[in-house]
Amino acid sequence: MAEMGDRNVNKITTIQQAIASCFGAIITSFFVAPLDVVKIRLQAQSNPFSKGKCFVYSNGLMDHICICENGDSKAWYKKPGHFKGTLDAFVKIVQIEGIKSLWSGLAPTLIMALPTTVVYFTCYDQLSEALKSRLGRDDDHIPVLAGSLSRLGCVTLVSPLELLRTRMQSRPLSYQQLHLCVRSEVARHGWLALWRGWSSTVLRDVPFSAIYWYNYERFKKMMCKKVGAHESTFFIAFTSGAASGSIAAIITLPFDVVKTHRQTELWESETLKIPQRRSTSVWAVLRRIVAENGVAGLFAGLVPRLVKVAPACAIMISTYEYGKTFFRHLNERKNQQP
């Protein structure tokens, strides 16, 4: 059983790993995006967004800052609706606006999720293989180390891209204007300005990744052993991904709450030029949440987070594993040909 994951990695190329992860990101975004579209529509109905404000769109795979437009906007999150609940919202959106409205937030998700997911999953597999040659095939620290390092590198790589995207989202900018905007930002605050918000993202995503991969590899081995399978099946990967994603989501929820607060506050102060009256450091936001809402405030939104993260993790890892299995069998058939 210890060699099961090794065969999956050794028999496919890095390009094939990247294609498998890309395929997984597309499938995950397609299935999970409607959940957040409905959630945002329900939120806009009960507490209408005011002009100049923003909210975080998160489908379990990627986070995005979205701008709240004026009252007559035709943006998907501002359309009038009279929904009694989640199921009623699903039905009415499809009946009145068409089924395509459920995927209104898909484009920005794919733009950021595809390169991020490809880098993340490919790096995880490559780091796992490198660590196995040094620490041994059955070392339990390998998923933790590989998951943490791959997520850390991925967040560091993508942070400037996220900053550029939110700048372009705030107002129409040509690429020349965007270049000048970034140059002035760097001139005033240095190159580190491109990584603002990096610390709160790392604080949430790195522990999540470490916990997720550790539990996923353990659950996968346990289930394979129980059913006598020599390699992970789609069902085993799906179940292990959902369980490990749920555990990681619960444990790291306080960091997610802090990140959401800090992300919106930083965005409003930097992009909309709204004067910031309070400190937006990670620990300042953490203390403020506890002071205003108690410790329970750090676990706000647990159910909505699980509803998105659990299926996103399950779909992503199962489609990724299926893609790797497909390429491995394809390569084996090619090698057997005379």
Side-chain angles (χ1 to χ4, degrees):
M1 295 303 300
E3 296 178 355
M4 176 187 64
D6 304 335
R7 291 199 302 267
N8 289 350
V9 174
N10 289 337
K11 293 290 181 88
I12 66 175
T13 66
T14 303
I15 297 298
Q16 290 173 333
Q17 288 175 352
I19 294 173
S21 59
C22 185
F23 175 74
I26 293 173
I27 297 297
T28 303
S29 299
F30 181 82
F31 277 101
V32 183
L35 295 174
D36 217 59
V37 170
V38 171
K39 190 207 75 171
I40 294 298
R41 293 291 296 278
L42 289 170
Q43 184 181 350
Q45 174 181 272
S46 61
N47 184 25
F49 300 119
S50 59
K51 183 180 179 181
K53 295 294 183 180
C54 62
F55 62 89
V56 176
Y57 173 94
S58 173
N59 64 1
L61 192 63
M62 289 294 298
D63 295 340
H64 307 289
I65 290 288
C66 294
I67 308 166
C68 303
E69 304 290 349
N70 53 32
D72 60 357
S73 170
K74 294 183 179 180
W76 57 272
Y77 51 84
K78 291 292 288 183
K79 289 178 181 176
H82 302 284
F83 309 125
K84 298 177 182 179
T86 301
L87 182 60
D88 184 56
F90 266 109
V91 174
K92 287 183 177 178
I93 289 173
V94 172
Q95 289 179 339
I96 299 172
E97 303 167 21
I99 195 169
K100 288 195 296 184
S101 293
L102 292 175
W103 287 272
S104 301
L106 185 60
T109 296
L110 291 177
I111 290 171
M112 292 297 294
L114 289 183
T116 303
T117 306
V118 167
V119 172
Y120 176 46
F121 278 82
T122 304
C123 284
Y124 173 79
D125 272 345
Q126 296 295 324
L127 282 171
S128 293
E129 186 63 19
L131 288 170
K132 285 175 183 177
S133 64
R134 290 178 174 272
L135 302 179
R137 298 289 175 180
D138 298 321
D139 196 307
D140 290 335
H141 296 93
I142 290 175
V144 176
L145 291 172
S148 299
L149 291 174
S150 57
R151 175 54 72 180
L152 180 63
C154 194
V155 168
T156 303
L157 179 67
V158 171
S159 286
L161 298 178
E162 181 70 13
L163 179 67
L164 295 180
R165 192 188 64 80
T166 53
R167 286 287 191 273
M168 294 186 73
Q169 202 176 30
S170 64
R171 59 188 184 278
L173 290 174
S174 66
Y175 287 106
Q176 184 178 6
Q177 290 173 320
L178 183 64
H179 177 68
L180 292 174
C181 178
V182 173
R183 283 187 61 183
S184 62
E185 186 84 8
V186 172
R188 287 198 305 267
H189 305 290
W191 283 101
L192 290 179
L194 297 178
W195 281 270
R196 285 188 178 177
W198 175 87
S199 58
S200 57
T201 304
V202 166
L203 194 61
R204 181 197 68 175
D205 288 2
V206 171
F208 181 96
S209 186
I211 296 167
Y212 170 78
W213 285 110
Y214 175 77
N215 285 305
Y216 172 72
E217 298 292 355
R218 283 179 62 87
F219 290 155
K220 184 173 70 172
K221 287 181 180 179
M222 287 170 56
M223 292 184 69
C224 285
K225 185 176 181 180
K226 187 173 182 179
V227 300
H230 294 290
E231 63 180 22
S232 176
T233 63
F234 184 90
F235 175 77
I236 290 175
F238 188 94
T239 306
S240 300
S244 55
S246 298
I247 294 171
I250 294 171
I251 295 175
T252 61
L253 181 61
F255 300 130
D256 183 61
V257 174
V258 170
K259 180 181 184 295
T260 300
H261 277 261
R262 190 164 184 256
Q263 199 172 13
T264 53
E265 290 177 359
L266 278 173
W267 191 88
E268 290 178 353
S269 65
E270 295 177 4
T271 307
L272 298 181
K273 307 302 180 185
I274 296 177
Q276 198 66 43
R277 300 174 183 176
R278 303 184 294 185
S279 172
T280 58
S281 71
V282 173
W283 301 114
V285 173
L286 181 65
R287 289 194 298 269
R288 189 158 63 244
I289 292 172
V290 173
E292 294 175 357
N293 304 304
V295 177
L298 294 175
F299 293 90
L302 175 60
V303 174
R305 178 159 163 78
L306 284 176
V307 167
K308 290 182 292 186
V309 171
C313 289
I315 296 170
M316 180 65 221
I317 194 63
S318 55
T319 50
Y320 178 59
E321 294 281 9
Y322 178 83
K324 291 197 298 181
T325 300
F326 169 81
F327 282 120
R328 190 176 70 255
H329 291 164
L330 181 66
N331 295 342
E332 288 176 353
R333 287 196 297 268
K334 286 184 179 179
N335 292 334
Q336 290 173 358
Q337 291 178 356

